[in-house]
Amino acid sequence: MVRVIPLGGLGEFGLNAMVLEHGDERLLIDAGLMFPSPLTPGIGVVVPDWTWLLEEPEKLKGVVLTHGHEDHVGALPSLLERLQVPVYGTPFTLGVARGRVDVAGLAGDFRSVDAREEFLVGTGFRVELIRVMHSIPEATAISVRTPDGTSLVHTGDLKLDDDPVDGLGTDLRRFEELGEEGVTCLLSDSTGAEQERPTPPEREVERTFAELFPRAKGRLIVSMFASNVHRLKFTLELAATLGRKVVLAGRSLQRNIDLARELGLIDVPSHLIVPAEDAPSLPAHQVLILATGSQAEPRSALVQMAMGTWLARSTPPPIPAADVEPGAPGHAHAGDPEALIPLPTLTIQAGDTVILSARAIPGNERLVGALIDRLLERGATVYYGGSYPGVHVSGHGSQPHQRRIIEAVRPRHFVPIHGELRHLHRHLQLARETGLVPEPGLLLARDGDVLEFQNGTGRHVAQIPTGRVLKDRWGDGQLDDAAVAEREKLAELGIIVAALVVDVAGQRIVSGPHLEGRGLSREEALFLPDVAVDARQTLETVTRALLGDVAFVREELTRAVRRAMKQRTGKRSAVLPIVVRL
């Protein structure tokens, strides 16, 4: 008997984490985070709640990673800080994951595995990685077989591409071989389930860049996901062909290019990358800036350039020459403070050409739209998906690709994964339309559902508690729902600091309340003097004896100010009471 328990990723984009259980052993596939909504103040990232998994820590025998995107590896530090288990994946995937773990100051047992190489996790999970095409190198699907004859295939994130830029497309033949052997359940990526047309190949972006780059008469600024090494590779090659020097604006770009060079995925001439301080002195038509910020992250290089505040201290040093060993003199590392070189401000200006080679993450559209507007205001020519579709293609397969995977595997059961509920429903319907999966084998699962496969039959049997852990943007602190609700309330209503001076011995109010508002509208701020008068009148009714009770006075001050604010403006702003005792 095998149980499948998703802890995240089935009902949202991100948080991908799925537990397989056989006997007294468990295997975790992926440990991903999710980026918060722009409406969630102060939240940096969201990670799965591992509580259920950690209640019996001895059962977890390993983590297998499908690929190196944050929504699949970003929560690994939050798990490894509490539980040390082996982590398996391809070399590039482990390189990315190791970087996340190192930054967190943790150690990890990382075990590199190649595609089509079978390995054992615990005593009961025979695992094999299957090469798939995605928007990051060395992405894989996962085949898991157990001694009771259960065979599961987890696709990870994938698409089909007949002419992959690295020559390594999805290993469809291996999917077919597994299908011929018999697959109990296929768990398949649902991200593109609403798209009816085939996902375009990556070559379309390559052709589009080859068309747009020569048009640019001034500087070229290209922004994409830093993990899209295939796209970075042909961007760098095209820059070299056109005689443009490249500036890397963003530490994640530097890290991923360094890792790709180390693994032989990119060959970057040492003279191509130049320090950012050289950019202002070079002719504009000889400069290409690769910048983070395609999602309009406030602290990203592209956003800061659009605001005119991008300085060298936020920029990593150039890639060292190939003959300089790491750690040797002359080797600069992006994380070393002494390697950061003061630079002048670089600003988007008229004559620049900016290419946003990424789609906006769902929920991020308004921020990206505002960034595009800002770039246009500064006089740049901007190419983005809405105006020029060829600048980006998805790394996820659409309906034709999803159908082809189902046809190759021909599973007895099908579970859509990775997506919001509407994507899961549409993917399940697609599987139904193929007629290849028996109707009882079409299973819709959500986070926390327990699916059990026994004697070739799968069914829902239970549900376990799942949740999300909210990480503070400025540190490792965790926020509960009450703290987030309080932040949302402060963002909506603002806050009033109310100071009252009390002579405790004389049992009288000396002065106040003195009010100062933050986050209030102009009209609300104008009412503060009147609110102070109203609140003072209320406080004057407090008996002299009670004025000696500071805790009571603080509560009454809060109530009086909130009540007066409600009467004047209709809003009950938050109040921070300060009682000064004489």
Side-chain angles (χ1 to χ4, degrees):
M1 179 186 70
V2 175
R3 289 187 170 186
V4 175
I5 308 106
L7 302 182
L10 274 68
E12 64 274 313
F13 285 115
L15 293 179
N16 296 298
M18 180 169 289
V19 176
L20 306 185
E21 184 176 80
H22 174 69
D24 290 330
E25 295 185 338
R26 290 172 179 166
L27 164 67
L28 177 64
I29 297 178
D30 288 335
L33 56 75
M34 181 171 70
F35 292 103
S37 161
L39 301 178
T40 312
I43 305 302
V45 295
V46 183
V47 300
D49 185 344
W50 304 116
T51 301
W52 173 81
L53 190 62
L54 296 173
E55 287 175 352
E56 299 176 289
E58 72 284 353
K59 287 188 175 183
L60 186 63
K61 302 305 179 182
V63 181
V64 182
L65 303 175
T66 59
H67 64 283
H69 279 150
E70 293 277 23
D71 58 335
H72 292 260
V73 305
L76 193 59
S78 71
L79 177 66
L80 295 185
E81 69 183 357
R82 303 173 66 182
L83 178 64
Q84 281 293 317
V85 292
V87 180
Y88 302 85
T90 55
F92 187 85
T93 299
L94 291 189
V96 174
R98 185 181 289 110
R100 303 292 179 270
V101 172
D102 288 347
V103 167
L106 302 170
D109 178 7
F110 295 99
R111 304 184 183 184
S112 180
V113 184
D114 292 327
R116 287 210 176 203
E117 177 183 346
E118 189 173 88
F119 57 99
L120 195 65
V121 178
T123 61
F125 297 106
R126 285 192 297 132
V127 183
E128 177 188 348
L129 303 185
I130 307 165
R131 187 185 69 244
V132 298
M133 178 67 183
H134 189 40
S135 54
I136 190 171
E138 299 182 358
T140 63
I142 298 174
S143 166
V144 180
R145 283 169 281 192
T146 58
D148 64 355
T150 301
S151 172
L152 306 176
V153 174
H154 183 296
T155 68
D157 290 351
L158 86 167
K159 64 185 283 188
L160 302 181
D161 193 333
D162 293 333
D163 186 21
V165 293
D166 63 354
L168 301 172
T170 295
D171 190 353
L172 198 58
R173 180 55 192 151
R174 186 57 185 143
F175 282 104
E176 292 171 342
E177 291 171 353
L178 291 170
E180 292 166 0
E181 296 170 10
V183 171
T184 307
C185 183
L186 170 65
L187 304 116
S188 190
D189 176 24
S190 303
T191 307
E194 295 182 324
Q195 306 302 317
E196 297 181 356
R197 295 183 177 181
T199 304
E202 184 67 17
R203 292 285 185 194
E204 182 167 323
V205 181
E206 186 175 20
R207 289 190 290 268
T208 300
F209 280 15
E211 173 190 341
L212 295 180
F213 280 22
R215 293 186 192 176
K217 304 306 179 185
R219 295 184 304 180
L220 258 172
I221 298 96
V222 181
S223 185
M224 66 182 74
F225 286 114
S227 59
N228 198 331
V229 171
H230 303 137
R231 198 169 296 179
L232 287 171
K233 181 176 185 294
F234 63 68
T235 299
L236 292 168
E237 291 171 349
L238 189 54
T241 300
L242 297 174
R244 288 183 180 264
K245 299 295 185 180
V246 177
V247 171
L248 299 180
R251 290 186 177 88
S252 57
L253 281 166
Q254 180 75 54
R255 286 195 300 266
N256 285 330
I257 289 179
D258 281 346
L259 176 60
R261 290 179 75 246
E262 178 184 335
L263 297 174
L265 301 173
I266 287 182
D267 182 15
V268 182
S270 58
H271 61 81
L272 181 64
I273 311 294
V274 299
E277 73 263 26
D278 290 354
S281 64
L282 292 172
H285 69 278
Q286 293 181 8
V287 176
L288 186 151
I289 300 174
L290 274 171
T292 57
S294 63
Q295 298 305 304
E297 303 94 326
R299 291 179 290 178
S300 65
L302 182 60
V303 169
Q304 292 187 50
M305 290 173 68
M307 302 301 295
T309 59
W310 187 65
L311 300 174
R313 63 172 176 266
S314 62
T315 305
I319 293 177
D323 57 352
V324 178
E325 292 293 329
H331 177 84
H333 227 269
D336 298 337
E338 62 270 21
L340 305 181
I341 307 167
L343 300 175
T345 300
L346 290 180
T347 304
I348 298 296
Q349 57 196 21
D352 289 345
T353 296
V354 180
I355 298 176
L356 293 177
S357 184
R359 74 177 181 92
I361 294 173
N364 224 23
E365 294 86 355
R366 293 181 64 182
L367 285 176
V368 174
L371 172 61
I372 293 170
D373 288 347
R374 182 65 174 169
L375 296 169
L376 292 170
E377 284 178 352
R378 286 195 166 270
T381 299
V382 185
Y383 295 99
Y384 57 99
S387 67
Y388 216 94
V391 299
H392 173 69
V393 299
S394 175
H396 298 270
S398 56
Q399 290 180 16
H401 296 183
Q402 294 169 341
R403 181 186 297 270
R404 185 67 188 92
I405 294 297
I406 296 171
E407 291 171 346
V409 178
R410 301 187 303 282
R412 292 193 292 276
H413 299 81
F414 177 83
V415 177
I417 60 174
H418 302 172
E420 296 174 347
L421 186 57
R422 67 180 189 273
H423 302 91
L424 305 183
H425 270 279
R426 185 64 191 93
H427 200 181
L428 196 72
Q429 177 60 28
L430 178 67
R432 179 177 290 111
E433 293 168 0
T434 67
L436 296 173
V437 184
E439 185 67 30
L442 297 170
L443 303 174
L444 181 70
R446 300 290 301 277
D447 297 344
D449 286 349
V450 180
L451 304 180
E452 182 178 280
F453 296 91
Q454 188 172 23
N455 299 324
T457 300
R459 61 194 180 101
H460 290 79
V461 295
Q463 191 169 45
I464 60 125
T466 59
R468 304 174 179 183
V469 175
L470 311 178
K471 295 281 191 175
D472 194 289
R473 182 176 297 162
W474 291 274
D476 295 329
Q478 297 183 9
L479 297 168
D480 58 20
D481 291 341
V484 173
E486 189 68 24
R487 290 188 178 194
E488 292 173 346
K489 181 179 178 181
L490 290 172
E492 180 181 355
L493 300 177
I495 187 170
I496 298 172
V497 179
L500 186 71
V501 182
V502 178
D503 180 355
V504 177
Q507 296 180 334
R508 66 187 182 92
I509 297 173
V510 177
S511 68
H514 306 281
L515 307 183
E516 184 171 345
R518 289 290 184 270
L520 305 181
S521 69
R522 293 179 182 178
E523 293 75 16
E524 291 163 353
L526 290 174
F527 277 117
L528 287 183
D530 296 327
V531 170
V533 171
D534 296 344
R536 176 63 180 257
Q537 291 174 353
T538 300
L539 292 168
E540 292 286 2
T541 65
V542 176
T543 64
R544 294 172 62 88
L546 288 174
L547 286 176
D549 186 340
V550 175
F552 176 80
V553 173
R554 189 179 294 114
E555 293 176 3
E556 282 300 301
L557 174 60
T558 299
R559 281 194 287 265
V561 172
R562 292 190 69 197
R563 187 182 303 118
M565 193 68 178
K566 172 70 173 177
Q567 291 171 347
R568 294 282 182 174
T569 68
K571 286 173 57 176
R572 288 184 181 270
S573 298
V575 176
L576 176 62
I578 300 174
V579 177
V580 180
R581 303 170 60 184
L582 295 181

